[in-house]
Amino acid sequence: MNFNFDVVFDRSVFSSTKWTYPQDPLYTDNKPTPLWVADMDFQCPPSVRKALLNIIDYGILGYTNCSLSALNAITDWQKNRHDWTIEPDWIVQSPGVATAIDIIINALSEPDDSIIIMTPVYGAFSRSILANQRSAITVPLHNITGRYLLDFDELEKSITAKTKMLILCNPHNPIGKIWSVVTS
């Protein structure tokens, strides 16, 4: 299937977070170009648009559950790709990552608790922490000759009695680092 990725759309007319969210005041004259991974600036593929239009044309837009076939696709993916067996009833639906982070923060911590994030970090993590009246503890990742590394001593020193969580994103957003476990 041919698809033209060069057509540019003005997404600000639909309140695109990526293009209309208030930017960091440090960049008053020369704002960085937002290069988000999950928010594209080209149209969805025709097959996706067609599937959505079929649902709209059906005319019933009520609440839905995740289908058993979708749950099985997730569990099969985890098993085949990662040799990790999970049960369909372990899967909790969420409308997005930021909402899920909010729910997790509220379930596993209390106001005034601290949550560790490793910077640079996906902005929704710190916004969720602060919006839920928790404190963000930032542990910087160090760029050593083009590879971001975590200083585990620094991480350990950042933990206090108020620390209840560490948000680990894998692959890490925005740097793309894939975390791995080294065993001896």
Side-chain angles (χ1 to χ4, degrees):
M1 164 180 23
N2 291 330
F3 192 75
N4 187 351
F5 292 101
D6 295 325
V7 177
V8 178
F9 294 87
D10 178 6
R11 297 197 46 231
S12 66
V13 298
F14 291 107
S15 300
S16 164
T17 300
K18 177 178 176 178
W19 293 106
T20 61
Y21 192 85
Q23 298 293 320
D24 190 319
L26 294 175
Y27 299 105
T28 53
D29 296 329
N30 196 7
K31 293 184 180 186
T33 301
L35 300 173
W36 293 15
V37 173
D39 191 358
M40 304 303 164
D41 291 320
F42 48 84
Q43 287 185 328
C44 291
S47 59
V48 172
R49 294 196 336 255
K50 182 180 179 191
L52 290 171
L53 286 172
N54 286 339
I55 292 168
I56 291 169
D57 286 343
Y58 186 70
I60 305 296
L61 301 176
Y63 296 105
T64 61
N65 291 318
C66 192
S67 68
L68 185 57
S69 63
L71 293 172
N72 287 336
I74 295 168
T75 58
D76 290 349
W77 168 267
Q78 293 298 338
K79 181 63 178 167
N80 296 332
R81 184 73 177 217
H82 303 291
D83 196 28
W84 183 32
T85 302
I86 63 172
E87 299 298 325
D89 62 344
W90 297 356
I91 300 169
V92 177
Q93 294 181 78
S94 170
V97 171
T99 301
I101 294 293
D102 280 338
I103 292 168
I104 292 166
I105 287 171
N106 280 295
L108 300 179
S109 66
E110 299 291 330
D112 298 323
D113 283 343
S114 299
I115 299 171
I116 297 172
I117 50 178
M118 297 176 290
T119 58
V121 69
Y122 175 47
F125 293 171
S126 54
R127 284 192 298 275
S128 290
I129 292 167
L130 299 176
N132 287 291
Q133 294 81 46
R134 275 61 167 182
S135 299
I137 298 174
T138 58
V139 176
L141 297 171
H142 301 282
N143 188 342
I144 311 294
T145 62
R147 287 185 64 216
Y148 281 91
L149 302 174
L150 174 62
D151 182 330
F152 285 96
D153 291 333
E154 205 170 341
L155 173 62
E156 190 172 343
K157 288 176 188 170
S158 72
I159 299 170
T160 71
K162 300 288 275 174
T163 306
K164 301 301 181 210
M165 295 173 60
L166 176 145
I167 298 176
L168 177 66
C169 185
N170 190 23
H172 190 81
N173 186 351
I175 62 172
K177 179 175 181 66
I178 297 172
W179 300 102
S180 62
V181 177
V182 178
T183 59
S184 52

